[in-house]
Amino acid sequence: MSDKLFQQIRKFIDLSANDELVVNKYINTLQLNKKEFLLHDGKVCNDLYFVEKGCLRMYFINKKDSEQITQFALDGWWIADYMSFMNNTPSNYYIQSIEKTEIVSISSQKFDDLLKELPHLEKYFRIIMQKAVAASQHRAKLMYEMTKEEFYIHFSTSFPEFMQRVPQYMIASYLGLTPEYMSELRKKKL
Amino acid sequence: MSDKLFQQIRKFIDLSANDELVVNKYINTLQLNKKEFLLHDGKVCNDLYFVEKGCLRMYFINKKDSEQITQFALDGWWIADYMSFMNNTPSNYYIQSIEKTEIVSISSQKFDDLLKELPHLEKYFRIIMQKAVAASQHRAKLMYEMTKEEFYIHFSTSFPEFMQRVPQYMIASYLGLTPEYMSELRKKKL
């Protein structure tokens, strides 16, 4: 149930069979159906979530009362509202499964305890966070330099499998396009 | 010369006087005049930079041949092109001082060596990276939900000192406003 997580950790650090048992003491594994919520607006984001298999989305409700998606998390990705997680403050986000999804979660308290018991895991999480910073820098650059049409083409070329799995209206929300404009773009592309 | 860095590290972990000597073996300190470059488009971002005192900006040249600022770093902030730093690939960015700036830098190789010698520093860098992820999530949300005018007001209210220190045209570039539109906003605000 948490094979992918352990595989990923082993890419970056040594993890003994005993360490694995320790990690298992602190994490939870969860099977979500489609459209189940892990976080609601107004609640504290108490956990970090790792996607073993499936897909999550993170969104907030904008002033026009519609869902603005800010992030997706596919197999092997971590997701959380980090501000809420670190400061123990209410979140403005929702985190929800898009399809049947297997996740690993760890609460803020257990995350601290785990890192006290296995401090060499700090390196794994430092690298994961560093990669997340790199990804957000890259995304910000794309958003500054590309037109919406270019961003759509870049996105659909870079993540073809993702485009198949995720409903079009969610991709439109993430890219800041109206669903109408996106279906025009798709027709053009075909 | 690296007081602020040591102060910041001590907020999160214990750092002995001897650890401090070890850190000093790996870092460089640099005094920059205004408008000195730490990184050029086409070069690998070999170092992480910490601002002891002063201000750096990170930008790329967009298709209209103008400077698009994506980040600033003030006293106590780390900055780098993390994708280039981690993958050893050429950067598309420039990093430049805006005013007289004192920085601490550490190369990719020395960063690895330092963390091998003082593994308990992993925790400090994990927390710093986690905060950077939180900040980028927060910024992405603001950019999705605010009009440019609201973003300007939010920015100038949240960072009044920053608004005084940094040239207006740079703030305009960061906020994605034309300098003309920004001076209109400033007049309105006054």
Side-chain angles (χ1 to χ4, degrees), chain B residues 15-54:
Chain B
L15 194 79
S16 69
N18 190 53
D19 292 342
E20 213 174 281
L21 293 176
V22 174
V23 174
N24 276 325
K25 279 197 315 187
Y26 292 105
I27 61 175
N28 284 313
T29 56
L30 265 171
Q31 299 270 10
L32 304 174
N33 287 318
K34 202 173 166 170
K35 296 195 175 177
E36 283 197 66
F37 285 96
L38 293 167
L39 176 66
H40 270 266
D41 180 7
K43 303 282 179 194
V44 174
C45 182
N46 274 318
D47 298 85
L48 299 179
Y49 301 106
F50 176 85
V51 179
E52 276 285 322
K53 192 177 160 55

Side-chain angles (χ1 to χ4, degrees), chain B residues 32-38 40 55-57 59 67 95-101 167 169-170:
Chain B
L32 304 174
N33 287 318
K34 202 173 166 170
K35 296 195 175 177
E36 283 197 66
F37 285 96
L38 293 167
H40 270 266
C55 189
L56 302 174
R57 66 177 179 135
Y59 67 91
E67 297 171 358
I95 298 178
Q96 189 196 32
S97 56
I98 291 176
E99 55 190 38
K100 274 188 89 164
T101 302
Y169 80 93
M170 288 189 190

